[in-house]
Amino acid sequence: MNLRFRLAALALALLSFLPQARADEGLWLPLLLKQLNEADMQKKGLKLTADQIYSINQGSLKDAVVQFGGGCTGEIVSSQGLLLTNHHCGYSQIQQHSSVENDYLTKGYWAMTREQELPNPGLTATFIVKMEDVTSQVLAGVPTANVQEADREKLVQANIQRVAQAAVQGTHYQAFIRPFYNGNEYYLFVTEVFQDIRLVGAPPSSIGKFGGDTDNWAWPRHTGDFSMFRIYAGPDNKPAPYSKDNVPFTPRHHLPISLAGVQPGDFTLVFGFPGRTNEYLTSWGVEETYSVSNPAKIKVRDAKLKILAADMQASDKVRIQYAAKYASIANYWKKWIGENRGLKKLDAVTRKQQQEVTFQQWVNSGDEARKAAYGTLLPQLERSYTAARDYTLARDYVTEAALGVELVAVANSLVPLAEMVQSKVPATELATAVDKARAGVINFYRNYSAATDQKVATALLPLYATGTPTTLLPTYVKNLSKQYPGQNGWSTYVTQLYDKSRLTSNESAQALLNEVAKGNARALLDDPAVQLASAIVSNYRTAILPTYTAATDNIALLQRTYVAGLRQQQPERKFYPDANSTLRVAYGQVQPYAPADGVKYDFYTNLDGIMEKADPTNPEFEVPARLTELYQTKNYGSYAYKGSVPVAFIATNHTTGGNSGSPVINGRGELIGINFDRNWEGTMSDIMFDPDRVRNITLDVRYMLFVVDKFAGAKHLVNEMTLVSSSDQAAPEAGKKIKKVKAKRQSSTATVR
Ligand code: ARG
Ligand code: ASP
């Protein structure tokens, strides 16, 4: 529908409508809490001051929160650097230490001594030392009008480099600067990055991944989604690469753990590193996600997952090789399905259109300056999205379908070598590049089954060829369709591809690389997988990317202007910036919800529910014998509540991907749980938040403690933590030292009730 028509149609109905950030929505910047949120948080039950959450001068909660690896959050729970995160966040590390004989995915892993804590090369834990508004420095000398987005970006990046470098000169810290409010503001983050992070403990997948993909993104939930690591530092307590001589890190703060549990209405705070949200997207952006990207990506992953699942079930080797890959593909496949349902339910596109109508009215009713700044903004956005549409779709098919075939992906990683060969670089240069490629290649084949991947290719390549707008398909692929016509054409081609390519196993790939290093460049260029990958990727670079980038750059510029406009239009509203993998605070309260007519969900689950879901014939719902035994003997220690052990609870915190592993903290600053997911009806919250139906799902610390202590017998780890039980005492005044309570626990010999 065109904008003018919409304006007329909706204007009347909407005179009273003003979009507001509703309670509980928001991913707040820790350094602005005092100014924006402190009063509201305290009204809702926070007993601390904003300074106790974030301060650069004294130890505060932020000193117990880390970004775990690139995509999760973790929290420090002991004075010896003990770290908690999700099982699904430590999953690839647990997998890497596993083999068919020593299968920690299936059996779990518990280090009973420090020596047994396992190093994980490449894994990092990042603390935020401080953050700072550096907008004026970053935008210094950057024209505000009549500048191409790409040129603006160059100027901005140059400033960013300079400012970030200066910020950490002469220290062991690192720094980065990120755009906020779509580039209207910039913040500097100074970080301390630890590199020796060891695996301490993980429950078996039958606990840590209980419910599997069936229960993923859903409530009620019974997953014991946690794992434990420890940060090691050099003898000076500073980051150091792995060394036997490193020692457990001493943090500035570690979170005490509350055994008191939660009740509806209780204040909750989630402190972590949310990855990406798009709350200020326009109707055209939502429409693109809803009708173009999500359906295409869902379709491709649907096909891939069916094939992986069948092969994983048929072979233990394939199951272990593909466990982490499967989980991550399935995760967003399901998320997008839920997201689209949620967007439809909320009528998101219409609501966005309504906001745009009010915005346009505000523009039209303003002075000349306002009209000049925003007058044609929305029609321009519409045009840009229309221009981008086919290219967005083509890009989705390249990344999901073409590169979703692992043979194409690994061949693609060698395309730079092929290009070096073609441009006739000196032999020594080529040999160095080959050596570099070799390491990545070896790693890749560890978790590769050519037979499985061939089936994936047979399904995905035709999807790629038919889903991509024809004009954006490489000639090479169009010719393949002609060369191999008919129903079985693709399957004939794929069979030949996997027969002929030397990239289907590590041995033959290494042999191929050896030949290349010796100067036989043809060997690489003749490989059919390399040919296919280069055709797809070079076409992507020349036919898709330029237009796609021009359009999305333009959208970025317009979106920045739109967000600036919205902030002017609604000066009374507190705006939070979209998530961008930086440290944020979300606060809300424990709350049940009613997703549909006649349905109401309670706010917590417990161990009894695990037993109800138990199904020995379904690998997703297998319950370990030891857990059943503890249940039958009610051997719960001090982790019990109303005769069972609480497992998970829900609250109204605004969270997103990257918040997994985040500490969920009560009003006194104590850990009450580990965030790990959202509910099915709330998966659209990255685009539109609705406090009535969006819930974050938290693992109750008492289940974690119960599993570590009673199930795993790793009580030494519990003893390392600071447990507090506040049910029997008034809330300590903010800042006062929290009373350490020695929890009384039963011995682990079972007593039958
Ligand atoms: N949905 C959660 C998040 O986005 C957890 C995913 C891990 N679990 C799984 N069954 N794949 O990361
Ligand atoms: N499970 C997500 C994560 O890994 C959290 C979410 O998307 O709610 O970060």
Side-chain angles (χ1 to χ4, degrees):
M1 206 192 317
N2 102 7
L3 186 73
R4 197 179 299 264
F5 179 71
R6 254 201 269 142
L7 268 175
L10 296 170
L12 251 176
L14 294 169
L15 284 176
S16 61
F17 183 90
L18 248 198
Q20 288 283 340
R22 298 220 257 154
D24 303 322
E25 175 172 357
L27 299 155
W28 305 101
L29 270 166
L31 87 164
L32 298 181
L33 287 178
K34 184 144 223 110
Q35 185 187 328
L36 293 180
N37 315 96
E38 186 182 59
D40 187 41
M41 291 167 89
Q42 289 174 342
K43 203 176 79 203
K44 292 188 166 128
L46 176 71
K47 304 280 188 280
L48 309 177
T49 62
D51 269 350
Q52 290 174 297
I53 298 173
Y54 172 85
S55 164
I56 52 173
N57 303 316
Q58 67 198 50
S60 58
L61 296 189
K62 82 136 174 46
D63 297 310
V65 184
V66 295
Q67 183 162 42
F68 181 83
C72 277
T73 305
E75 55 275 11
I76 312 298
V77 290
S78 92
S79 59
Q80 294 146 69
L82 191 63
L83 179 156
L84 287 174
T85 185
N86 289 144
H87 185 262
H88 78 259
C89 292
Y91 202 70
S92 60
Q93 281 77 32
I94 305 165
Q95 183 202 13
Q96 263 157 42
H97 293 293
S98 295
S99 58
V100 174
E101 302 75 44
N102 263 331
D103 184 354
Y104 302 143
L105 285 178
T106 302
K107 295 197 196 110
Y109 181 78
W110 303 97
M112 291 301 170
T113 62
R114 292 281 156 89
E115 288 66 45
Q116 290 172 3
E117 300 183 350
L118 303 172
N120 301 285
L123 180 62
T124 54
T126 303
F127 288 91
I128 300 300
V129 177
K130 67 166 182 180
M131 59 186 77
E132 214 175 287
D133 185 348
V134 290
T135 311
S136 58
Q137 287 154 274
V138 170
L139 294 182
V142 179
T144 49
N146 302 323
V147 58
Q148 291 287 318
E149 186 66 4
D151 296 333
R152 177 193 191 264
E153 195 51 29
K154 270 188 216 129
L155 296 171
V156 164
Q157 284 309 328
N159 282 346
I160 281 183
Q161 268 238 318
R162 194 172 36 78
V163 177
Q165 242 167 35
V168 289
Q169 191 110 60
T171 71
H172 69 281
Y173 295 141
Q174 302 183 13
F176 61 84
I177 292 172
R178 296 258 164 85
F180 287 71
Y181 301 103
N182 299 76
N184 286 295
E185 293 178 17
Y186 289 85
Y187 284 80
L188 162 78
F189 292 80
V190 172
T191 63
E192 189 172 31
V193 183
F194 286 83
Q195 308 147 46
D196 184 356
I197 316 300
R198 303 189 197 168
L199 175 64
V200 173
S205 294
S206 52
I207 288 179
K209 207 174 181 258
F210 182 76
D213 294 310
T214 303
D215 274 9
N216 191 22
W217 299 111
W219 179 258
R221 192 64 157 276
H222 297 86
T223 314
D225 199 344
F226 75 96
S227 58
M228 297 169 112
F229 289 79
R230 190 186 305 281
I231 302 180
Y232 280 77
D236 57 359
N237 206 36
K238 292 204 177 117
Y242 170 80
S243 154
K244 265 197 349 285
D245 304 326
N246 283 350
V247 295
F249 167 68
T250 308
R252 285 178 88 187
H253 181 69
H254 70 272
L255 296 173
I257 299 182
S258 167
L259 289 172
V262 293
Q263 293 301 330
D266 281 359
F267 176 86
T268 54
L269 180 152
V270 176
F271 210 172
F273 291 83
R276 209 162 80 94
T277 57
N278 279 303
E279 310 290 348
Y280 305 104
L281 218 51
T282 56
S283 59
W284 303 284
V286 178
E287 174 66 25
E288 183 185 271
T289 302
Y290 179 78
S291 328
V292 181
S293 284
N294 280 357
K297 295 189 291 191
I298 291 165
K299 186 166 78 182
V300 173
R301 289 198 178 193
D302 221 10
K304 185 168 177 176
L305 287 167
K306 284 202 181 97
I307 294 161
L308 296 187
D311 275 25
M312 285 165 73
Q313 214 179 6
S315 146
D316 270 351
K317 184 164 173 226
V318 175
R319 177 180 59 77
I320 293 178
Q321 284 179 323
Y322 280 79
K325 288 191 257 191
Y326 185 94
S328 95
I329 299 164
N331 193 31
Y332 266 71
W333 163 76
K334 193 167 177 184
K335 159 77 156 70
W336 294 322
I337 295 173
E339 183 172 88
N340 263 21
R341 286 173 56 127
L343 290 173
K344 185 168 175 208
K345 176 96 186 175
L346 289 184
D347 211 355
V349 173
T350 310
R351 276 164 73 166
K352 291 289 187 177
Q353 287 172 346
Q354 292 170 350
Q355 289 180 12
E356 285 148 19
V357 168
T358 6
F359 182 79
Q360 191 67 48
Q361 285 171 339
W362 170 79
V363 174
N364 295 348
S365 67
D367 58 13
E368 286 313 309
R370 191 189 288 172
K371 284 181 190 147
Y374 307 113
T376 60
L377 179 61
L378 291 174
Q380 285 188 66
L381 265 163
E382 178 173 18
R383 275 201 300 280
S384 299
Y385 274 107
T386 310
R389 199 179 169 104
D390 274 0
Y391 295 85
T392 303
L393 186 65
R395 186 171 173 273
D396 287 336
Y397 272 105
V398 168
T399 52
E400 286 292 326
L403 295 176
V405 177
E406 289 175 280
L407 181 64
V408 177
V410 74
N412 176 43
S413 75
L414 299 179
V415 166
L417 285 184
E419 285 169 352
M420 290 175 86
V421 170
Q422 273 167 329
S423 60
K424 303 204 167 44
V425 299
T428 49
E429 201 176 311
L430 183 64
T432 321
V434 168
D435 271 345
K436 239 174 118 186
R438 209 185 289 278
V441 165
I442 293 176
N443 213 12
F444 165 79
Y445 286 104
R446 269 194 199 119
N447 291 323
Y448 181 67
S449 155
T452 304
D453 189 43
Q454 182 172 341
K455 293 178 202 163
V456 170
T458 309
L460 263 53
L461 290 178
L463 286 181
Y464 163 68
T466 53
T468 307
T470 320
T471 50
L472 299 180
L473 264 186
T475 312
Y476 188 91
V477 173
K478 282 191 218 164
N479 288 343
L480 285 179
S481 306
K482 284 185 212 137
Q483 246 173 292
Y484 299 88
Q487 266 236 306
N488 296 322
W490 277 104
S491 131
T492 312
Y493 165 70
V494 169
T495 308
Q496 289 176 13
L497 176 66
Y498 281 71
D499 277 351
K500 288 204 191 116
S501 172
R502 298 171 69 183
L503 296 177
T504 52
S505 81
N506 187 38
E507 292 69 38
S508 57
Q510 296 300 334
L512 171 63
L513 287 177
N514 285 340
E515 284 175 37
V516 177
K518 285 198 198 110
N520 177 11
R522 286 290 350 149
L524 193 57
L525 302 183
D526 286 345
D527 192 279
V530 175
Q531 288 173 357
L532 176 65
S534 358
I536 291 170
V537 170
S538 67
N539 177 72
Y540 174 67
R541 279 196 220 134
T542 54
I544 299 170
L545 207 52
T547 311
Y548 175 81
T549 314
T552 47
D553 273 1
N554 201 31
I555 290 171
L557 160 79
L558 298 167
Q559 186 71 32
R560 180 166 69 242
T561 314
Y562 184 51
V563 168
L566 286 174
R567 292 172 83 184
Q568 265 182 45
Q569 179 205 5
Q570 302 164 56
E572 74 296 341
R573 171 176 162 191
K574 285 177 197 159
F575 279 83
Y576 62 91
D578 266 318
N580 58 0
S581 294
T582 60
L583 185 61
R584 305 293 180 91
V585 165
Y587 59 97
Q589 45 186 230
V590 176
Q591 225 30 269
Y593 74 110
D597 186 32
V599 186
K600 201 174 166 196
Y601 286 130
D602 207 350
F603 72 99
Y604 88 109
T605 58
N606 64 38
L607 186 57
D608 298 39
I610 294 179
M611 300 303 151
E612 281 167 15
K613 283 182 178 173
D615 178 359
T617 67
N618 181 348
E620 289 190 323
F621 291 93
E622 260 164 6
V623 172
R626 171 77 184 140
L627 192 61
T628 309
E629 189 185 310
L630 290 166
Y631 168 73
Q632 282 165 350
T633 55
K634 300 274 177 281
N635 184 359
Y636 301 155
S638 50
Y639 314 119
Y641 174 71
K642 289 192 177 166
S644 191
V645 181
V647 171
F649 62 85
I650 47 173
T652 58
N653 300 81
H654 191 174
T655 56
T656 186
N659 266 126
S660 270
S662 296
V664 180
I665 296 169
N666 66 14
R668 304 166 208 265
E670 302 153 356
L671 188 72
I672 48 177
I674 309 170
N675 188 74
F676 70 99
D677 209 5
R678 274 171 283 169
N679 60 334
W680 184 236
E681 298 81 7
T683 44
M684 72 304 178
S685 68
D686 297 341
I687 293 172
M688 194 172 275
F689 188 89
D690 175 359
D692 293 336
R693 46 186 49 248
V694 177
R695 295 292 178 269
N696 64 313
I697 303 178
T698 300
L699 171 70
D700 193 302
V701 280
R702 291 169 293 178
Y703 187 54
M704 180 271 296
L705 294 167
F706 166 75
V707 169
V708 175
D709 179 349
K710 300 288 177 176
F711 176 85
K715 193 160 173 194
H716 60 287
L717 296 171
V718 175
N719 291 342
E720 207 187 307
M721 306 174 195
T722 307
L723 303 187
V724 295
S725 143
S726 40
S727 55
D728 52 351
Q729 63 192 47
E733 264 169 56
K736 280 237 179 98
K737 216 175 143 62
I738 295 155
K739 194 172 130 205
K740 192 165 172 173
V741 177
K742 272 223 189 80
K744 223 175 69 193
R745 267 174 239 113
Q746 296 170 205
S747 78
S748 49
T749 23
T751 40
V752 184
R753 273 206 329 179

